[in-house]
Amino acid sequence: NAKHYIGLFFNHMEQEGSQFLNLADFHGSRGALQSQTRGTHENLGGRLREEIQFDSHWTGVLGVGVETSNVTAQVRTRKAPETFSVIDVDRNFINVAPEAALIYRYSPDLQVHGRVATGYGTPAIGQLTTTSSGLSGNNTDLKTQENVGLELGMDWRPFPTLALNLTGYYEFFFNEFITQSPGAGLSAFTSNAPRAEHRGVEVALDWRPFEGWRLSSAYTFNDHVYTEFLETIGAGVTLDRSGKEIPGVQRHILNARLGYESRYYLGGWIEANWLSDFFVNNSNALKADGYEVVNLNLHYSRDLPGPYIRGVSAFFEIQNLFDVDYIASANVVADTPTDTPANLATTKQAFFAGPERSFWAGLKLKF
């Protein structure tokens, strides 16, 4: 028994962005043009996939995707009154991504799968036209990001009320895109790290011990490191980042939710999220602190027999129940030769505070 899939695609995107001088007249008046980007991004490709069921237990999958991309753009930046510098971009990329998978179904309650797959990422217009200074310029030496990934996982339902999922992954990246902020008021720029490895584990649990009650939880461990990356910072200073953790990646992420749904259409849940600290620069000298946030939800939901309104749902939610101060996210920031452990936290504008305790309410109608 075999299933065959074939697909072709084409897309064309035009992009235009302009920046003007603000005249600061308290009316939002727009002054002279400061910079303008105009370009197109086209993709043409196809996908083939073959799914073969050898018997009631074994299924195999083979597939391949092929894509050609063309990125063209022109960036004009004001240098003096009525004088603009012009940067032209015209790049073509061809990418091929094969995959193979094998699935073993021992029973409806136990399934094991393995997969080997490749992927790629094509540079966008902004990545090709922003230099490491954070200003408009030619960054067309940027290469396609590629990766080869291995995955092994299991779906298991040992009891009718309990479902478990366990998956491990190991990915090898080549020319991985590393995007960093060079400083306030400047645009983020992208460079290639020649080699990196991403490995980790994902675990999920869904337990329904009693009628109406549900406990769900998910945990992810990520270990992402550079294995080959000579980074140039400042004026010709080159540093070996091999063995450093890739910034912007939380090693530990845990979510747990306990909920209850009554027979009277009322329900609610309480949810806890824990995220560990993570580095925000390639030297691994600056960290964003981890945090724990708890959310609470109460809701009413039911179907209606009417011909027009077929269902109603109302909810009230408190996010950040205990009003914790925390760093919700952070920019990956570029290193400079003048960085020291003492001034890193005060010279880098990297962190974004999470919202304080907030209240949300809403009503949904289903027609």
Side-chain angles (χ1 to χ4, degrees):
N1 186 13
K3 296 179 181 179
H4 320 284
Y5 302 89
I6 183 171
L8 301 174
F9 63 89
F10 170 77
N11 55 70
H12 173 92
M13 180 187 72
E14 295 188 11
Q15 178 177 317
E16 181 175 351
S18 302
Q19 294 182 334
F20 296 86
L21 184 69
N22 189 332
L23 297 183
D25 59 359
F26 301 100
H27 295 288
S29 299
R30 193 167 66 179
L33 177 70
Q34 301 301 298
S35 64
Q36 181 184 58
T37 300
R38 300 186 67 179
T40 62
H41 194 138
E42 289 185 349
N43 300 302
L44 173 65
R47 299 185 182 94
L48 295 172
R49 192 171 187 267
E50 184 84 1
E51 183 177 314
I52 304 172
Q53 186 169 347
F54 302 108
D55 56 33
S56 61
H57 296 294
W58 292 94
T59 302
V61 176
L62 291 173
V64 63
V66 180
E67 181 180 53
T68 176
S69 303
N70 176 249
V71 182
T72 61
Q74 183 179 85
V75 180
R76 302 171 66 236
T77 304
R78 180 180 294 275
K79 294 298 183 182
E82 305 310 319
T83 301
F84 291 83
S85 64
V86 179
I87 300 165
D88 290 308
V89 172
D90 190 349
R91 286 290 307 275
N92 289 289
F93 303 92
I94 298 178
N95 295 292
V96 180
E99 67 167 323
L102 189 62
I103 303 167
Y104 175 67
R105 294 182 179 89
Y106 176 77
S107 70
D109 296 323
L110 178 59
Q111 175 179 291
V112 179
H113 68 272
R115 183 171 181 258
V116 180
T118 58
Y120 57 85
T122 302
I125 291 175
Q127 294 174 314
L128 294 169
T129 58
T130 306
T131 68
S132 59
S133 65
L135 301 174
S136 298
N138 193 314
N139 196 37
T140 52
D141 290 336
L142 200 62
K143 301 175 182 177
T144 297
Q145 172 181 281
E146 299 176 331
N147 67 286
V148 178
L150 310 173
E151 179 183 302
L152 182 62
M154 175 186 69
D155 300 303
W156 184 31
R157 187 179 293 274
F159 309 105
T161 59
L162 178 63
L164 299 171
N165 173 273
L166 175 64
T167 301
Y169 69 91
Y170 207 121
E171 294 183 305
F172 301 88
F173 274 75
F174 307 93
N175 297 316
E176 181 173 4
F177 292 153
I178 304 299
T179 301
Q180 305 171 77
S181 170
L186 299 171
S187 299
F189 69 94
T190 302
S191 57
N192 289 122
R195 293 179 183 271
E197 294 181 5
H198 298 189
R199 52 260 179 144
V201 176
E202 298 176 350
V203 183
L205 174 148
D206 190 335
W207 184 33
R208 308 186 187 199
F210 310 106
E211 182 180 357
W213 289 93
R214 180 179 183 182
L215 173 64
S216 58
S217 181
Y219 168 74
T220 301
F221 169 72
N222 299 305
D223 182 28
H224 298 184
V225 297
Y226 296 120
T227 54
E228 180 187 337
F229 185 22
L230 293 176
E231 183 183 27
T232 300
I233 63 174
V237 178
T238 300
L239 299 173
D240 188 357
R241 302 303 193 190
S242 301
K244 297 290 188 181
E245 293 183 27
I246 297 176
V249 179
Q250 283 131 335
R251 288 174 66 84
H252 305 279
I253 303 172
L254 175 64
N255 169 271
R257 175 183 289 189
L258 177 63
Y260 177 71
E261 300 292 335
S262 77
R263 64 183 66 183
Y264 304 107
Y265 313 112
L266 293 171
W269 47 256
I270 186 167
E271 174 188 70
N273 297 280
W274 171 62
L275 292 88
S276 67
D277 55 11
F278 60 95
F279 293 111
V280 297
N281 62 347
N282 284 329
S283 64
N284 289 179
L286 184 62
K287 270 187 176 182
D289 293 333
Y291 63 88
E292 304 86 29
V293 170
V294 176
N295 303 319
L296 179 67
N297 173 283
L298 299 172
H299 56 264
Y300 173 88
S301 180
R302 65 173 299 179
D303 293 330
L304 299 175
Y308 303 109
I309 300 178
R310 304 178 63 184
V312 60
S313 175
F315 73 92
F316 174 72
E317 189 166 315
I318 305 175
Q319 297 184 2
N320 192 3
L321 178 64
F322 299 112
D323 203 18
V324 176
D325 295 328
Y326 67 100
I327 297 172
S329 61
N331 280 330
V332 175
V333 294
D335 294 301
T336 66
T338 58
D339 289 338
T340 66
N343 71 12
L344 275 172
T346 58
T347 59
K348 304 295 184 181
Q349 297 187 6
F351 306 112
F352 298 91
E356 57 188 9
R357 183 191 294 122
S358 55
F359 303 89
W360 299 81
L363 177 69
K364 299 178 182 179
L365 300 176
K366 182 168 65 174
F367 296 93

PDB file of all heavy atoms in Angstrom, residues 284-306:
ATOM      1  N   ASN A 284      29.250  34.478  25.589  1.00  0.00           N
ATOM      2  CA  ASN A 284      28.602  33.855  26.749  1.00  0.00           C
ATOM      3  C   ASN A 284      28.963  34.560  28.044  1.00  0.00           C
ATOM      4  O   ASN A 284      29.107  33.931  29.108  1.00  0.00           O
ATOM      5  CB  ASN A 284      28.965  32.371  26.849  1.00  0.00           C
ATOM      6  CG  ASN A 284      28.341  31.506  25.772  1.00  0.00           C
ATOM      7  OD1 ASN A 284      28.561  30.314  25.716  1.00  0.00           O
ATOM      8  ND2 ASN A 284      27.548  32.119  24.892  1.00  0.00           N
ATOM      9  N   ALA A 285      29.069  35.881  27.977  1.00  0.00           N
ATOM     10  CA  ALA A 285      29.411  36.670  29.162  1.00  0.00           C
ATOM     11  C   ALA A 285      28.220  37.439  29.722  1.00  0.00           C
ATOM     12  O   ALA A 285      28.314  37.996  30.812  1.00  0.00           O
ATOM     13  CB  ALA A 285      30.537  37.653  28.827  1.00  0.00           C
ATOM     14  N   LEU A 286      27.114  37.490  29.001  1.00  0.00           N
ATOM     15  CA  LEU A 286      25.941  38.235  29.445  1.00  0.00           C
ATOM     16  C   LEU A 286      24.716  37.327  29.352  1.00  0.00           C
ATOM     17  O   LEU A 286      24.481  36.690  28.328  1.00  0.00           O
ATOM     18  CB  LEU A 286      25.734  39.472  28.580  1.00  0.00           C
ATOM     19  CG  LEU A 286      24.594  40.417  28.979  1.00  0.00           C
ATOM     20  CD1 LEU A 286      24.826  40.994  30.367  1.00  0.00           C
ATOM     21  CD2 LEU A 286      24.446  41.548  27.955  1.00  0.00           C
ATOM     22  N   LYS A 287      23.950  37.281  30.446  1.00  0.00           N
ATOM     23  CA  LYS A 287      22.802  36.380  30.528  1.00  0.00           C
ATOM     24  C   LYS A 287      21.507  37.123  30.795  1.00  0.00           C
ATOM     25  O   LYS A 287      21.501  38.162  31.445  1.00  0.00           O
ATOM     26  CB  LYS A 287      23.006  35.372  31.671  1.00  0.00           C
ATOM     27  CG  LYS A 287      23.704  34.088  31.302  1.00  0.00           C
ATOM     28  CD  LYS A 287      23.681  33.131  32.483  1.00  0.00           C
ATOM     29  CE  LYS A 287      24.290  31.785  32.085  1.00  0.00           C
ATOM     30  NZ  LYS A 287      24.220  30.815  33.216  1.00  0.00           N
ATOM     31  N   ALA A 288      20.419  36.560  30.298  1.00  0.00           N
ATOM     32  CA  ALA A 288      19.077  36.956  30.727  1.00  0.00           C
ATOM     33  C   ALA A 288      18.646  35.966  31.797  1.00  0.00           C
ATOM     34  O   ALA A 288      18.771  34.751  31.620  1.00  0.00           O
ATOM     35  CB  ALA A 288      18.101  36.922  29.555  1.00  0.00           C
ATOM     36  N   ASP A 289      18.145  36.477  32.915  1.00  0.00           N
ATOM     37  CA  ASP A 289      17.753  35.610  34.019  1.00  0.00           C
ATOM     38  C   ASP A 289      16.534  34.773  33.655  1.00  0.00           C
ATOM     39  O   ASP A 289      15.671  35.192  32.883  1.00  0.00           O
ATOM     40  CB  ASP A 289      17.434  36.448  35.259  1.00  0.00           C
ATOM     41  CG  ASP A 289      18.673  37.141  35.828  1.00  0.00           C
ATOM     42  OD1 ASP A 289      19.783  36.602  35.618  1.00  0.00           O
ATOM     43  OD2 ASP A 289      18.523  38.190  36.471  1.00  0.00           O
ATOM     44  N   GLY A 290      16.463  33.593  34.230  1.00  0.00           N
ATOM     45  CA  GLY A 290      15.281  32.765  34.074  1.00  0.00           C
ATOM     46  C   GLY A 290      14.125  33.296  34.903  1.00  0.00           C
ATOM     47  O   GLY A 290      14.281  34.220  35.711  1.00  0.00           O
ATOM     48  N   TYR A 291      12.961  32.709  34.725  1.00  0.00           N
ATOM     49  CA  TYR A 291      11.797  33.195  35.460  1.00  0.00           C
ATOM     50  C   TYR A 291      10.733  32.114  35.563  1.00  0.00           C
ATOM     51  O   TYR A 291      10.754  31.111  34.832  1.00  0.00           O
ATOM     52  CB  TYR A 291      11.210  34.444  34.799  1.00  0.00           C
ATOM     53  CG  TYR A 291      10.672  34.245  33.401  1.00  0.00           C
ATOM     54  CD1 TYR A 291       9.354  33.849  33.193  1.00  0.00           C
ATOM     55  CD2 TYR A 291      11.474  34.467  32.280  1.00  0.00           C
ATOM     56  CE1 TYR A 291       8.846  33.679  31.920  1.00  0.00           C
ATOM     57  CE2 TYR A 291      10.975  34.289  30.995  1.00  0.00           C
ATOM     58  CZ  TYR A 291       9.661  33.898  30.827  1.00  0.00           C
ATOM     59  OH  TYR A 291       9.170  33.714  29.562  1.00  0.00           O
ATOM     60  N   GLU A 292       9.802  32.325  36.500  1.00  0.00           N
ATOM     61  CA  GLU A 292       8.625  31.477  36.663  1.00  0.00           C
ATOM     62  C   GLU A 292       7.399  32.390  36.661  1.00  0.00           C
ATOM     63  O   GLU A 292       7.368  33.377  37.386  1.00  0.00           O
ATOM     64  CB  GLU A 292       8.665  30.688  37.979  1.00  0.00           C
ATOM     65  CG  GLU A 292       9.911  29.837  38.154  1.00  0.00           C
ATOM     66  CD  GLU A 292      11.061  30.601  38.751  1.00  0.00           C
ATOM     67  OE1 GLU A 292      10.813  31.556  39.521  1.00  0.00           O
ATOM     68  OE2 GLU A 292      12.215  30.277  38.421  1.00  0.00           O
ATOM     69  N   VAL A 293       6.408  32.052  35.850  1.00  0.00           N
ATOM     70  CA  VAL A 293       5.182  32.840  35.749  1.00  0.00           C
ATOM     71  C   VAL A 293       3.988  31.897  35.841  1.00  0.00           C
ATOM     72  O   VAL A 293       3.975  30.825  35.225  1.00  0.00           O
ATOM     73  CB  VAL A 293       5.133  33.640  34.429  1.00  0.00           C
ATOM     74  CG1 VAL A 293       3.762  34.253  34.218  1.00  0.00           C
ATOM     75  CG2 VAL A 293       6.187  34.735  34.433  1.00  0.00           C
ATOM     76  N   VAL A 294       2.969  32.314  36.608  1.00  0.00           N
ATOM     77  CA  VAL A 294       1.755  31.521  36.788  1.00  0.00           C
ATOM     78  C   VAL A 294       0.571  32.285  36.201  1.00  0.00           C
ATOM     79  O   VAL A 294       0.428  33.498  36.424  1.00  0.00           O
ATOM     80  CB  VAL A 294       1.502  31.228  38.278  1.00  0.00           C
ATOM     81  CG1 VAL A 294       0.184  30.481  38.467  1.00  0.00           C
ATOM     82  CG2 VAL A 294       2.661  30.415  38.859  1.00  0.00           C
ATOM     83  N   ASN A 295      -0.275  31.591  35.437  1.00  0.00           N
ATOM     84  CA  ASN A 295      -1.474  32.169  34.847  1.00  0.00           C
ATOM     85  C   ASN A 295      -2.708  31.408  35.334  1.00  0.00           C
ATOM     86  O   ASN A 295      -2.640  30.200  35.612  1.00  0.00           O
ATOM     87  CB  ASN A 295      -1.415  32.105  33.321  1.00  0.00           C
ATOM     88  CG  ASN A 295      -0.186  32.793  32.758  1.00  0.00           C
ATOM     89  OD1 ASN A 295       0.199  33.858  33.225  1.00  0.00           O
ATOM     90  ND2 ASN A 295       0.442  32.183  31.758  1.00  0.00           N
ATOM     91  N   LEU A 296      -3.831  32.105  35.421  1.00  0.00           N
ATOM     92  CA  LEU A 296      -5.079  31.518  35.907  1.00  0.00           C
ATOM     93  C   LEU A 296      -6.213  31.852  34.938  1.00  0.00           C
ATOM     94  O   LEU A 296      -6.302  32.980  34.449  1.00  0.00           O
ATOM     95  CB  LEU A 296      -5.412  32.069  37.296  1.00  0.00           C
ATOM     96  CG  LEU A 296      -6.714  31.566  37.947  1.00  0.00           C
ATOM     97  CD1 LEU A 296      -6.610  30.089  38.281  1.00  0.00           C
ATOM     98  CD2 LEU A 296      -7.026  32.392  39.198  1.00  0.00           C
ATOM     99  N   ASN A 297      -7.079  30.869  34.675  1.00  0.00           N
ATOM    100  CA  ASN A 297      -8.181  31.062  33.728  1.00  0.00           C
ATOM    101  C   ASN A 297      -9.464  30.462  34.282  1.00  0.00           C
ATOM    102  O   ASN A 297      -9.470  29.354  34.832  1.00  0.00           O
ATOM    103  CB  ASN A 297      -7.834  30.395  32.383  1.00  0.00           C
ATOM    104  CG  ASN A 297      -8.992  30.395  31.413  1.00  0.00           C
ATOM    105  OD1 ASN A 297      -9.919  29.609  31.525  1.00  0.00           O
ATOM    106  ND2 ASN A 297      -8.935  31.271  30.431  1.00  0.00           N
ATOM    107  N   LEU A 298     -10.577  31.196  34.138  1.00  0.00           N
ATOM    108  CA  LEU A 298     -11.920  30.700  34.430  1.00  0.00           C
ATOM    109  C   LEU A 298     -12.772  30.937  33.190  1.00  0.00           C
ATOM    110  O   LEU A 298     -12.670  31.995  32.559  1.00  0.00           O
ATOM    111  CB  LEU A 298     -12.519  31.427  35.631  1.00  0.00           C
ATOM    112  CG  LEU A 298     -11.773  31.296  36.963  1.00  0.00           C
ATOM    113  CD1 LEU A 298     -12.391  32.227  38.002  1.00  0.00           C
ATOM    114  CD2 LEU A 298     -11.797  29.856  37.451  1.00  0.00           C
ATOM    115  N   HIS A 299     -13.606  29.967  32.826  1.00  0.00           N
ATOM    116  CA  HIS A 299     -14.375  30.137  31.595  1.00  0.00           C
ATOM    117  C   HIS A 299     -15.707  29.386  31.657  1.00  0.00           C
ATOM    118  O   HIS A 299     -15.913  28.499  32.485  1.00  0.00           O
ATOM    119  CB  HIS A 299     -13.573  29.661  30.381  1.00  0.00           C
ATOM    120  CG  HIS A 299     -13.104  28.239  30.496  1.00  0.00           C
ATOM    121  ND1 HIS A 299     -11.854  27.910  30.952  1.00  0.00           N
ATOM    122  CD2 HIS A 299     -13.733  27.058  30.231  1.00  0.00           C
ATOM    123  CE1 HIS A 299     -11.707  26.594  30.946  1.00  0.00           C
ATOM    124  NE2 HIS A 299     -12.846  26.046  30.509  1.00  0.00           N
ATOM    125  N   TYR A 300     -16.582  29.805  30.763  1.00  0.00           N
ATOM    126  CA  TYR A 300     -17.893  29.178  30.572  1.00  0.00           C
ATOM    127  C   TYR A 300     -18.043  28.930  29.079  1.00  0.00           C
ATOM    128  O   TYR A 300     -17.859  29.840  28.260  1.00  0.00           O
ATOM    129  CB  TYR A 300     -19.004  30.104  31.078  1.00  0.00           C
ATOM    130  CG  TYR A 300     -20.394  29.621  30.783  1.00  0.00           C
ATOM    131  CD1 TYR A 300     -21.051  28.771  31.665  1.00  0.00           C
ATOM    132  CD2 TYR A 300     -21.070  30.035  29.641  1.00  0.00           C
ATOM    133  CE1 TYR A 300     -22.343  28.319  31.405  1.00  0.00           C
ATOM    134  CE2 TYR A 300     -22.363  29.588  29.373  1.00  0.00           C
ATOM    135  CZ  TYR A 300     -22.990  28.732  30.257  1.00  0.00           C
ATOM    136  OH  TYR A 300     -24.266  28.289  29.992  1.00  0.00           O
ATOM    137  N   SER A 301     -18.362  27.688  28.712  1.00  0.00           N
ATOM    138  CA  SER A 301     -18.443  27.356  27.289  1.00  0.00           C
ATOM    139  C   SER A 301     -19.503  26.286  27.071  1.00  0.00           C
ATOM    140  O   SER A 301     -19.530  25.275  27.782  1.00  0.00           O
ATOM    141  CB  SER A 301     -17.085  26.857  26.788  1.00  0.00           C
ATOM    142  OG  SER A 301     -17.142  26.540  25.423  1.00  0.00           O
ATOM    143  N   ARG A 302     -20.375  26.511  26.082  1.00  0.00           N
ATOM    144  CA  ARG A 302     -21.394  25.516  25.757  1.00  0.00           C
ATOM    145  C   ARG A 302     -21.890  25.713  24.338  1.00  0.00           C
ATOM    146  O   ARG A 302     -21.780  26.799  23.753  1.00  0.00           O
ATOM    147  CB  ARG A 302     -22.573  25.604  26.727  1.00  0.00           C
ATOM    148  CG  ARG A 302     -23.361  26.899  26.642  1.00  0.00           C
ATOM    149  CD  ARG A 302     -24.614  26.850  27.500  1.00  0.00           C
ATOM    150  NE  ARG A 302     -25.519  25.783  27.069  1.00  0.00           N
ATOM    151  CZ  ARG A 302     -26.679  25.525  27.663  1.00  0.00           C
ATOM    152  NH1 ARG A 302     -27.065  26.254  28.704  1.00  0.00           N
ATOM    153  NH2 ARG A 302     -27.461  24.557  27.214  1.00  0.00           N
ATOM    154  N   ASP A 303     -22.430  24.639  23.787  1.00  0.00           N
ATOM    155  CA  ASP A 303     -23.059  24.691  22.475  1.00  0.00           C
ATOM    156  C   ASP A 303     -24.526  25.091  22.648  1.00  0.00           C
ATOM    157  O   ASP A 303     -25.161  24.795  23.674  1.00  0.00           O
ATOM    158  CB  ASP A 303     -22.975  23.333  21.782  1.00  0.00           C
ATOM    159  CG  ASP A 303     -21.542  22.973  21.426  1.00  0.00           C
ATOM    160  OD1 ASP A 303     -20.746  23.894  21.172  1.00  0.00           O
ATOM    161  OD2 ASP A 303     -21.226  21.757  21.417  1.00  0.00           O
ATOM    162  N   LEU A 304     -25.074  25.752  21.614  1.00  0.00           N
ATOM    163  CA  LEU A 304     -26.456  26.207  21.648  1.00  0.00           C
ATOM    164  C   LEU A 304     -27.228  25.588  20.492  1.00  0.00           C
ATOM    165  O   LEU A 304     -26.670  25.353  19.406  1.00  0.00           O
ATOM    166  CB  LEU A 304     -26.523  27.731  21.562  1.00  0.00           C
ATOM    167  CG  LEU A 304     -25.833  28.498  22.705  1.00  0.00           C
ATOM    168  CD1 LEU A 304     -25.865  29.985  22.420  1.00  0.00           C
ATOM    169  CD2 LEU A 304     -26.501  28.193  24.045  1.00  0.00           C
ATOM    170  N   PRO A 305     -28.527  25.340  20.681  1.00  0.00           N
ATOM    171  CA  PRO A 305     -29.315  24.698  19.612  1.00  0.00           C
ATOM    172  C   PRO A 305     -29.834  25.663  18.561  1.00  0.00           C
ATOM    173  O   PRO A 305     -30.441  25.234  17.572  1.00  0.00           O
ATOM    174  CB  PRO A 305     -30.473  24.062  20.390  1.00  0.00           C
ATOM    175  CG  PRO A 305     -30.669  24.977  21.562  1.00  0.00           C
ATOM    176  CD  PRO A 305     -29.295  25.481  21.931  1.00  0.00           C
ATOM    177  N   GLY A 306     -29.625  26.971  18.735  1.00  0.00           N
ATOM    178  CA  GLY A 306     -30.205  27.953  17.830  1.00  0.00           C
ATOM    179  C   GLY A 306     -29.677  27.844  16.411  1.00  0.00           C
ATOM    180  O   GLY A 306     -28.574  27.360  16.165  1.00  0.00           O
TER     181      GLY A 306
END
